[in-house]
Amino acid sequence: MKLFQCIKQNKYIKRTIHIIFLLATVAVIDLALGNLLENFYFKQKSGWLYRTTYALNETTADLVIIGSSRANHHYHPDVLSKSLNLTYYNAGRDGSYIFYHYAVIRSILKRYKPKVIIFDFIKTGFKPSQESYDRTAYLLPYYRSHPELRDIIETKSTFEKIKLLSRIYPYNSMLVTIAAGHPALHSTRDGDNKGFIPLLDKWNEPLVSYKASPCYDFDKKEVSIYESILSDCKKSGIQLYVVVSPYYYKHESPDCSVVEARKIAARYNVKFFDFGESQYFLDKPYLFDDSYHLNENGARVFSAQLVEAIKREESKTYTSQSNLDQ
């Protein structure tokens, strides 16, 4: 009895109890809402978020496409799957960067080994950009369930571990997208063909030519991640192809990141195909949706050209090996 009276009379103790009660209430609300959002997130059956979950947790395709929006729109499944006689899934995601790409590869390799991975490399891929780190936010919902991704996610900021104590935090910028992808509200897969999203417009703007500019410093972490992609695929016995797909603009001098990526690929004996400024595509604006993306017809044409390039390289490798065996 005296203890309760003492507490009532001591304003500091009362204030401490109120703070503890408030913190406990916030924690309970955070846990409850976080669990609710998590449940909705992982019940999605369409849209960007669903495709990330499918890539990380479910795909067992022989051929996996990795990269940004250019990967998502440039590699046509009907052409690649049929021509290479491989099952196909496109794990490209709009607005993603190399940390996200490596996370997808790492998670896939933990489950199984695809026969082929095509990694779409973008111009200025090694140029320092905070966005490259910020977009690891796409992976926040998988932090607890995918330990292999945690060090990648934690590159987002110094305080990421602390922020992730909150169960709401991984979903707080995704509420509208989660709702759009929930089966009760959106039952179709939003134009998804094995992860590939076709673009349908035709570009009719003139070709832009940029003057030569001095080379920029590279983000050392991004270069290291790129080497990890090459190394992990080689160690796993996966045939990796690094590809720069077509753009509808050109530069007077080669992009520094593309030059460096090619050099690194050569060190790892990884095939590197650069269609970035292919004259064939620069002469055909109608194969583009905009200056950065091919439309569906362009994706079909490019995919067919890539298949031919891959088969030529396979033929060279086979011939070389046969000569060694004789």
Side-chain angles (χ1 to χ4, degrees):
M1 194 71 178
K2 289 183 178 179
L3 177 62
F4 288 114
Q5 288 177 348
C6 180
I7 291 172
K8 285 182 179 180
Q9 292 172 359
N10 192 313
K11 63 180 181 179
Y12 299 108
I13 295 177
K14 286 172 67 177
R15 186 175 298 168
T16 301
I17 291 173
H18 287 158
I19 291 171
I20 293 171
F21 179 77
L22 178 62
L23 291 174
T25 302
V26 169
V28 169
I29 292 171
D30 179 84
L31 179 63
L33 286 179
N35 285 340
L36 181 66
L37 289 169
E38 181 180 53
N39 182 56
F40 270 84
Y41 183 96
F42 287 104
K43 280 189 175 180
Q44 294 176 97
K45 295 298 178 184
S46 65
W48 297 347
L49 309 184
Y50 168 77
R51 289 193 288 274
T52 293
T53 300
Y54 187 86
L56 295 179
N57 296 345
E58 297 185 48
T59 185
T60 55
D62 299 328
L63 166 63
V64 178
I65 311 299
I66 300 292
S68 63
S69 59
R70 292 168 50 76
N72 196 219
H73 305 308
H74 288 189
Y75 297 83
H76 206 292
D78 297 349
V79 176
L80 288 162
S81 185
K82 182 179 179 180
S83 301
L84 298 175
N85 194 28
L86 299 171
T87 57
Y88 167 107
Y89 189 71
N90 194 313
R93 177 161 172 170
D94 290 14
S96 62
Y97 291 84
I98 198 165
F99 293 108
Y100 175 87
H101 308 155
Y102 182 46
V104 174
I105 291 173
R106 189 187 274 185
S107 191
I108 286 174
L109 294 185
K110 186 179 179 182
R111 292 190 297 107
Y112 83 107
K113 295 178 182 179
K115 292 179 181 178
V116 177
I117 289 178
I118 294 176
F119 173 45
D120 186 272
F121 188 83
I122 62 171
K123 290 182 179 181
T124 69
F126 296 146
K127 191 173 185 177
S129 168
Q130 184 58 40
E131 267 194 313
S132 185
Y133 294 85
D134 292 342
R135 297 299 173 85
T136 58
Y138 294 159
L139 301 165
L140 291 174
Y142 310 95
Y143 185 83
R144 292 193 307 120
S145 58
H146 289 69
E148 74 277 9
L149 305 185
R150 289 176 186 165
D151 62 325
I152 299 172
I153 294 169
E154 287 165 8
T155 62
K156 184 173 180 290
S157 77
T158 307
F159 304 104
E160 215 58 25
K161 277 187 178 181
I162 298 172
K163 292 177 182 179
L164 282 158
L165 294 173
S166 165
R167 296 292 290 273
I168 294 175
Y169 172 66
Y171 311 98
N172 63 7
S173 63
M174 304 180 183
L175 299 180
V176 174
T177 314
I178 290 173
H182 197 269
L185 299 174
H186 190 67
S187 59
T188 64
R189 289 192 65 193
D190 195 27
D192 177 354
N193 179 1
K194 299 176 185 176
F196 169 75
I197 305 294
L199 299 176
L200 305 177
D201 287 342
K202 290 184 179 180
W203 190 241
N204 57 12
E205 297 294 327
L207 180 68
V208 176
S209 180
Y210 294 102
K211 293 183 178 181
S213 57
C215 194
Y216 41 83
D217 292 332
F218 297 148
D219 184 313
K220 292 181 180 179
K221 285 186 179 179
E222 291 183 333
V223 175
S224 176
I225 289 291
Y226 176 72
E227 294 203 44
S228 295
I229 290 172
L230 273 55
S231 175
D232 288 3
C233 287
K234 293 289 286 185
K235 287 177 183 177
S236 298
I238 293 164
Q239 182 63 66
L240 173 68
Y241 298 109
V242 181
V243 182
V244 181
S245 53
Y247 292 81
Y248 192 68
Y249 60 82
K250 62 181 182 178
H251 291 84
E252 290 182 0
S253 59
D255 174 67
C256 298
S257 293
V258 172
V259 172
E260 183 67 14
R262 183 192 290 275
K263 288 180 182 176
I264 295 170
R267 290 207 308 267
Y268 284 86
N269 197 27
V270 168
K271 301 302 181 186
F272 190 99
F273 299 107
D274 186 0
F275 292 83
E277 296 189 8
S278 165
Q279 194 60 47
Y280 179 90
F281 289 94
L282 293 177
D283 289 339
K284 299 173 178 61
Y286 54 84
L287 293 179
F288 289 83
D289 181 87
D290 58 36
S291 62
Y292 203 72
H293 300 98
L294 295 166
N295 57 31
E296 184 175 15
N297 287 335
R300 285 183 180 275
V301 173
F302 164 64
S303 297
Q305 290 193 7
L306 177 60
V307 167
E308 290 304 312
I310 288 172
K311 289 183 175 180
R312 282 196 300 271
E313 288 299 324
E314 288 177 347
S315 178
K316 288 179 187 177
T317 302
Y318 176 78
T319 301
S320 176
Q321 186 61 48
S322 296
N323 291 336
L324 288 173
D325 292 340
Q326 290 176 358

